[in-house]
Amino acid sequence: MDQCVKPAPHEIRRARTENPKARERDLAGQLGISEAELVAAHCGDGVIRIEPRVNDLLTGLEAVGEVMALTRNESAVHEKIGVYDKVVTGNHNAMVLGENIDLRIFPKIWAHGFALEKRDGDDIRRSLQFFDASGEAVHKVHLRPASSLYAYQKLVASLESPNQGPTIEISGPVLDEESEAGTSTASLDDLRDRWSRLTDVHQFFGMLKTLKLSRRQAVRMVGQDYAWLLDNDAVRAMFNHAAESEMPIMCFVGNRGCIQIHSGPVKSIKPMGPWINVLDETFHLHLRTDHIHEVWAVRKPTRDGHVTSLEIYAANGDMILQFFGKRHEGESERDDWRFLAEHLPRIPSPTAA
């Protein structure tokens, strides 16, 4: 197929029929289109286009009950089973603060939405899927046997778009603000001074924005009392130790439109080829270890004492995922997590770049 000409909707549907077991993301890549375009081509054939009105979606999802929430990026997939409750709406930031489903959402990034029905033998699998302007998935909600089908159908009807055409306008990939940093003239002394005066981990992004530094530029630059480079296998070692000791951790996976968080223990760690998989009852994580370029342990001051994170980066500088010891605001860091982070295998740090 000519790579300069995108396939028409009927060609996309035919490719889907001919490759029934292929993952949507993989098939879209083979066709030279985005995942959102692949889904849109099926509008009217098991797919309904819906408006990505995030606040209406979140408040409507509360009634649907138990579902599976999925957030991913190029290298990690984070799945949580639970209920969308304790919803906090907002136009710039929205949150779900439930016991199992814990999300930080940036509604302006959500550009396209769809409700899907796929037949699987005698069953019908239903999901809501949302994409950014470039057609990359930002968040998906999959129904489960315990979900309220009535509440789901009512929600879909309330969000249904008047435009049910099989094509969508896609923009080029958009760099996030950290990726656009790059041109900073920040000095090491300024970075270290501002870093030392942090009182909350949520101030970190504001500091980076002020200094026009990406997250990875900052950790490479700041010095080993605040950030030190670990062996790439430190992620596997951390998972194994956390599972053996039943240490509760926090695992963040995100993209430009959504960050999804697991808080609690991890139990079933299953390596498979290049993947590390967590396969627990209400939490699944799938991590491509061959995409790991750097692993950093990062120490940030807070009013409750410093907290330590593990930050995993891809070769292009994007963060794949981030780990903390489980803690609540106002609590000091867990001693066992701090000990683990400080004793994972280190390697010499590169010079700032």
Side-chain angles (χ1 to χ4, degrees), residues 75 216 219-220 229-235 287-296 311-321 347-348 350-351 353:
S75 307
R216 191 171 68 154
V219 300
R220 284 181 161 210
L229 192 61
L230 299 175
D231 186 278
N232 283 2
D233 204 47
V235 180
L287 169 65
R288 281 284 298 261
T289 58
D290 56 330
H291 286 190
I292 296 174
H293 184 66
E294 290 177 352
V295 179
W296 288 85
E311 302 186 354
I312 290 79
Y313 292 90
N316 66 357
D318 287 349
M319 186 188 288
I320 298 173
L321 71 172
I347 60 176
T351 55

Short mmCIF file of all heavy atoms in Angstrom, two decimals, residues 75 216 219-220 229-235 287-296 311-321 347-348 350-351 353:
data_model
loop_
_atom_site.label_atom_id
_atom_site.label_comp_id
_atom_site.label_asym_id
_atom_site.label_seq_id
_atom_site.Cartn_x
_atom_site.Cartn_y
_atom_site.Cartn_z
N SER A 75 5.21 2.35 25.84
CA SER A 75 6.01 1.29 26.45
C SER A 75 5.37 0.62 27.66
O SER A 75 5.91 -0.37 28.15
CB SER A 75 7.37 1.87 26.86
OG SER A 75 8.00 2.51 25.78
N ARG A 216 14.03 14.91 32.44
CA ARG A 216 15.27 14.14 32.37
C ARG A 216 16.49 15.06 32.37
O ARG A 216 17.53 14.72 32.94
CB ARG A 216 15.29 13.24 31.14
CG ARG A 216 16.46 12.23 31.21
CD ARG A 216 16.40 11.18 30.15
NE ARG A 216 16.63 11.73 28.82
CZ ARG A 216 17.12 11.02 27.81
NH1 ARG A 216 17.40 9.73 27.98
NH2 ARG A 216 17.29 11.55 26.63
N VAL A 219 17.14 15.83 36.10
CA VAL A 219 17.72 14.77 36.93
C VAL A 219 19.16 14.48 36.52
O VAL A 219 20.00 14.13 37.36
CB VAL A 219 16.86 13.48 36.92
CG1 VAL A 219 15.47 13.75 37.45
CG2 VAL A 219 16.81 12.83 35.54
N ARG A 220 19.49 14.66 35.25
CA ARG A 220 20.87 14.46 34.81
C ARG A 220 21.79 15.55 35.34
O ARG A 220 22.98 15.32 35.53
CB ARG A 220 20.94 14.45 33.28
CG ARG A 220 20.44 13.16 32.63
CD ARG A 220 20.57 13.23 31.12
NE ARG A 220 20.54 11.89 30.54
CZ ARG A 220 21.17 11.57 29.42
NH1 ARG A 220 21.89 12.45 28.77
NH2 ARG A 220 21.08 10.33 28.94
N LEU A 229 21.68 7.51 38.85
CA LEU A 229 21.33 6.59 37.79
C LEU A 229 21.44 5.15 38.28
O LEU A 229 22.41 4.79 38.96
CB LEU A 229 22.26 6.81 36.59
CG LEU A 229 21.90 6.15 35.27
CD1 LEU A 229 20.56 6.63 34.73
CD2 LEU A 229 23.01 6.43 34.23
N LEU A 230 20.44 4.33 37.93
CA LEU A 230 20.40 2.93 38.33
C LEU A 230 20.57 2.03 37.12
O LEU A 230 20.29 2.42 35.98
CB LEU A 230 19.06 2.61 39.01
CG LEU A 230 18.73 3.38 40.28
CD1 LEU A 230 17.33 3.02 40.75
CD2 LEU A 230 19.75 3.10 41.38
N ASP A 231 20.99 0.81 37.37
CA ASP A 231 21.01 -0.21 36.35
C ASP A 231 19.58 -0.44 35.84
O ASP A 231 18.62 -0.38 36.61
CB ASP A 231 21.58 -1.51 36.93
CG ASP A 231 21.76 -2.58 35.88
OD1 ASP A 231 20.75 -3.26 35.56
OD2 ASP A 231 22.87 -2.74 35.39
N ASN A 232 19.43 -0.68 34.54
CA ASN A 232 18.08 -0.87 33.97
C ASN A 232 17.34 -2.03 34.61
O ASN A 232 16.10 -2.05 34.64
CB ASN A 232 18.17 -1.08 32.46
CG ASN A 232 18.40 0.22 31.71
OD1 ASN A 232 18.54 1.28 32.32
ND2 ASN A 232 18.44 0.15 30.40
N ASP A 233 18.07 -3.01 35.14
CA ASP A 233 17.41 -4.16 35.76
C ASP A 233 16.88 -3.82 37.16
O ASP A 233 16.25 -4.67 37.80
CB ASP A 233 18.37 -5.34 35.85
CG ASP A 233 17.63 -6.68 35.92
OD1 ASP A 233 16.69 -6.88 35.13
OD2 ASP A 233 17.97 -7.50 36.79
N ALA A 234 17.10 -2.59 37.61
CA ALA A 234 16.60 -2.18 38.92
C ALA A 234 15.08 -2.26 38.99
O ALA A 234 14.51 -2.50 40.06
CB ALA A 234 17.05 -0.76 39.24
N VAL A 235 14.39 -2.08 37.86
CA VAL A 235 12.92 -2.16 37.85
C VAL A 235 12.47 -3.56 38.21
O VAL A 235 11.59 -3.76 39.06
CB VAL A 235 12.36 -1.75 36.48
CG1 VAL A 235 10.84 -1.82 36.49
CG2 VAL A 235 12.82 -0.35 36.11
N LEU A 287 4.95 -3.88 30.93
CA LEU A 287 6.06 -2.96 30.70
C LEU A 287 7.05 -3.56 29.72
O LEU A 287 7.54 -4.68 29.94
CB LEU A 287 6.76 -2.64 32.03
CG LEU A 287 8.10 -1.91 31.93
CD1 LEU A 287 7.92 -0.51 31.34
CD2 LEU A 287 8.76 -1.82 33.31
N ARG A 288 7.38 -2.83 28.66
CA ARG A 288 8.38 -3.26 27.70
C ARG A 288 9.77 -2.91 28.23
O ARG A 288 10.21 -1.76 28.15
CB ARG A 288 8.16 -2.56 26.36
CG ARG A 288 7.06 -3.12 25.49
CD ARG A 288 7.44 -4.41 24.80
NE ARG A 288 8.55 -4.27 23.88
CZ ARG A 288 8.42 -4.13 22.56
NH1 ARG A 288 7.22 -4.09 22.01
NH2 ARG A 288 9.49 -4.05 21.79
N THR A 289 10.47 -3.90 28.76
CA THR A 289 11.79 -3.62 29.34
C THR A 289 12.81 -3.25 28.28
O THR A 289 13.78 -2.53 28.58
CB THR A 289 12.30 -4.84 30.13
OG1 THR A 289 12.36 -5.98 29.27
CG2 THR A 289 11.39 -5.14 31.30
N ASP A 290 12.61 -3.70 27.03
CA ASP A 290 13.55 -3.33 25.98
C ASP A 290 13.40 -1.87 25.55
O ASP A 290 14.24 -1.35 24.79
CB ASP A 290 13.41 -4.26 24.77
CG ASP A 290 11.99 -4.28 24.21
OD1 ASP A 290 11.03 -4.10 24.99
OD2 ASP A 290 11.83 -4.50 22.99
N HIS A 291 12.37 -1.19 26.04
CA HIS A 291 12.21 0.24 25.78
C HIS A 291 12.86 1.10 26.87
O HIS A 291 12.90 2.32 26.74
CB HIS A 291 10.72 0.61 25.69
CG HIS A 291 10.07 0.14 24.42
ND1 HIS A 291 8.79 0.55 24.06
CD2 HIS A 291 10.49 -0.68 23.44
CE1 HIS A 291 8.47 -0.01 22.91
NE2 HIS A 291 9.48 -0.77 22.51
N ILE A 292 13.33 0.48 27.94
CA ILE A 292 13.93 1.24 29.03
C ILE A 292 15.32 1.73 28.62
O ILE A 292 16.19 0.94 28.27
CB ILE A 292 14.04 0.39 30.31
CG1 ILE A 292 12.64 0.00 30.81
CG2 ILE A 292 14.80 1.15 31.40
CD1 ILE A 292 12.67 -0.96 31.99
N HIS A 293 15.51 3.03 28.65
CA HIS A 293 16.81 3.62 28.32
C HIS A 293 17.58 4.02 29.57
O HIS A 293 18.79 3.80 29.66
CB HIS A 293 16.61 4.84 27.42
CG HIS A 293 17.88 5.45 26.93
ND1 HIS A 293 18.74 4.81 26.08
CD2 HIS A 293 18.44 6.67 27.19
CE1 HIS A 293 19.78 5.59 25.83
NE2 HIS A 293 19.62 6.72 26.48
N GLU A 294 16.88 4.62 30.53
CA GLU A 294 17.51 5.02 31.79
C GLU A 294 16.52 4.84 32.94
O GLU A 294 15.31 5.05 32.77
CB GLU A 294 17.95 6.50 31.76
CG GLU A 294 19.12 6.77 30.85
CD GLU A 294 19.47 8.25 30.80
OE1 GLU A 294 18.73 9.09 31.35
OE2 GLU A 294 20.49 8.57 30.18
N VAL A 295 17.05 4.49 34.09
CA VAL A 295 16.28 4.41 35.34
C VAL A 295 16.97 5.31 36.36
O VAL A 295 18.16 5.13 36.64
CB VAL A 295 16.21 2.97 35.88
CG1 VAL A 295 15.41 2.93 37.18
CG2 VAL A 295 15.60 2.03 34.84
N TRP A 296 16.24 6.24 36.90
CA TRP A 296 16.78 7.18 37.88
C TRP A 296 16.06 7.02 39.22
O TRP A 296 14.83 6.87 39.26
CB TRP A 296 16.61 8.62 37.41
CG TRP A 296 17.50 9.00 36.28
CD1 TRP A 296 17.29 8.80 34.94
CD2 TRP A 296 18.78 9.64 36.38
NE1 TRP A 296 18.34 9.28 34.21
CE2 TRP A 296 19.27 9.80 35.06
CE3 TRP A 296 19.54 10.10 37.46
CZ2 TRP A 296 20.50 10.40 34.80
CZ3 TRP A 296 20.76 10.70 37.19
CH2 TRP A 296 21.24 10.84 35.88
N GLU A 311 12.18 6.66 38.37
CA GLU A 311 11.66 7.23 37.14
C GLU A 311 12.31 6.51 35.96
O GLU A 311 13.54 6.45 35.87
CB GLU A 311 11.94 8.73 37.10
CG GLU A 311 11.32 9.45 38.30
CD GLU A 311 11.42 10.96 38.26
OE1 GLU A 311 12.08 11.49 37.34
OE2 GLU A 311 10.84 11.62 39.14
N ILE A 312 11.48 5.98 35.07
CA ILE A 312 11.95 5.14 33.97
C ILE A 312 11.72 5.90 32.67
O ILE A 312 10.60 6.31 32.38
CB ILE A 312 11.23 3.77 33.97
CG1 ILE A 312 11.67 2.92 35.16
CG2 ILE A 312 11.53 3.00 32.71
CD1 ILE A 312 11.04 3.26 36.47
N TYR A 313 12.81 6.08 31.90
CA TYR A 313 12.77 6.90 30.69
C TYR A 313 13.04 6.07 29.44
O TYR A 313 13.86 5.15 29.45
CB TYR A 313 13.81 8.02 30.77
CG TYR A 313 13.50 9.06 31.82
CD1 TYR A 313 13.98 8.92 33.12
CD2 TYR A 313 12.72 10.16 31.52
CE1 TYR A 313 13.69 9.86 34.09
CE2 TYR A 313 12.42 11.11 32.49
CZ TYR A 313 12.90 10.96 33.77
OH TYR A 313 12.61 11.89 34.72
N ALA A 314 12.36 6.47 28.35
CA ALA A 314 12.63 5.91 27.03
C ALA A 314 13.79 6.67 26.39
O ALA A 314 14.23 7.71 26.88
CB ALA A 314 11.38 6.01 26.16
N ALA A 315 14.26 6.16 25.25
CA ALA A 315 15.42 6.77 24.59
C ALA A 315 15.15 8.21 24.15
O ALA A 315 16.06 9.03 24.09
CB ALA A 315 15.83 5.93 23.39
N ASN A 316 13.87 8.54 23.85
CA ASN A 316 13.56 9.90 23.41
C ASN A 316 13.36 10.86 24.57
O ASN A 316 13.03 12.04 24.37
CB ASN A 316 12.31 9.89 22.52
CG ASN A 316 11.05 9.49 23.28
OD1 ASN A 316 11.09 9.15 24.46
ND2 ASN A 316 9.91 9.50 22.58
N GLY A 317 13.57 10.41 25.81
CA GLY A 317 13.44 11.28 26.97
C GLY A 317 12.08 11.25 27.63
O GLY A 317 11.90 11.82 28.70
N ASP A 318 11.09 10.59 27.02
CA ASP A 318 9.76 10.50 27.63
C ASP A 318 9.82 9.59 28.86
O ASP A 318 10.51 8.56 28.85
CB ASP A 318 8.75 9.92 26.65
CG ASP A 318 8.36 10.89 25.56
OD1 ASP A 318 8.71 12.08 25.67
OD2 ASP A 318 7.71 10.47 24.58
N MET A 319 9.06 9.96 29.89
CA MET A 319 8.95 9.07 31.04
C MET A 319 7.97 7.95 30.72
O MET A 319 6.84 8.20 30.30
CB MET A 319 8.50 9.82 32.29
CG MET A 319 8.52 8.92 33.52
SD MET A 319 7.78 9.67 34.98
CE MET A 319 9.01 10.88 35.37
N ILE A 320 8.40 6.71 30.93
CA ILE A 320 7.53 5.56 30.70
C ILE A 320 6.64 5.34 31.92
O ILE A 320 5.43 5.17 31.78
CB ILE A 320 8.37 4.30 30.43
CG1 ILE A 320 9.21 4.47 29.16
CG2 ILE A 320 7.47 3.07 30.32
CD1 ILE A 320 10.20 3.35 28.92
N LEU A 321 7.23 5.30 33.09
CA LEU A 321 6.45 5.16 34.32
C LEU A 321 7.28 5.60 35.50
O LEU A 321 8.49 5.82 35.40
CB LEU A 321 5.92 3.73 34.51
CG LEU A 321 6.87 2.59 34.87
CD1 LEU A 321 6.05 1.33 35.19
CD2 LEU A 321 7.83 2.26 33.75
N ILE A 347 24.76 2.84 38.56
CA ILE A 347 25.82 2.93 37.56
C ILE A 347 26.26 4.37 37.48
O ILE A 347 25.51 5.28 37.90
CB ILE A 347 25.36 2.41 36.18
CG1 ILE A 347 24.16 3.23 35.65
CG2 ILE A 347 25.01 0.95 36.22
CD1 ILE A 347 23.74 2.81 34.25
N PRO A 348 27.47 4.66 36.98
CA PRO A 348 27.93 6.05 36.92
C PRO A 348 26.99 6.91 36.10
O PRO A 348 26.50 6.50 35.05
CB PRO A 348 29.31 5.92 36.23
CG PRO A 348 29.73 4.52 36.50
CD PRO A 348 28.48 3.71 36.51
N PRO A 350 25.66 9.86 33.62
CA PRO A 350 26.20 10.59 32.47
C PRO A 350 26.30 12.07 32.79
O PRO A 350 25.70 12.55 33.75
CB PRO A 350 25.14 10.34 31.39
CG PRO A 350 23.87 10.17 32.17
CD PRO A 350 24.27 9.49 33.45
N THR A 351 27.03 12.78 32.00
CA THR A 351 27.06 14.23 32.17
C THR A 351 25.74 14.81 31.72
O THR A 351 25.00 14.19 30.93
CB THR A 351 28.19 14.84 31.34
OG1 THR A 351 28.03 14.45 29.98
CG2 THR A 351 29.55 14.38 31.84
N ALA A 353 22.89 16.63 29.77
CA ALA A 353 22.73 16.80 28.32
C ALA A 353 21.41 17.50 28.06
O ALA A 353 20.49 17.44 28.85
CB ALA A 353 22.74 15.46 27.62
#
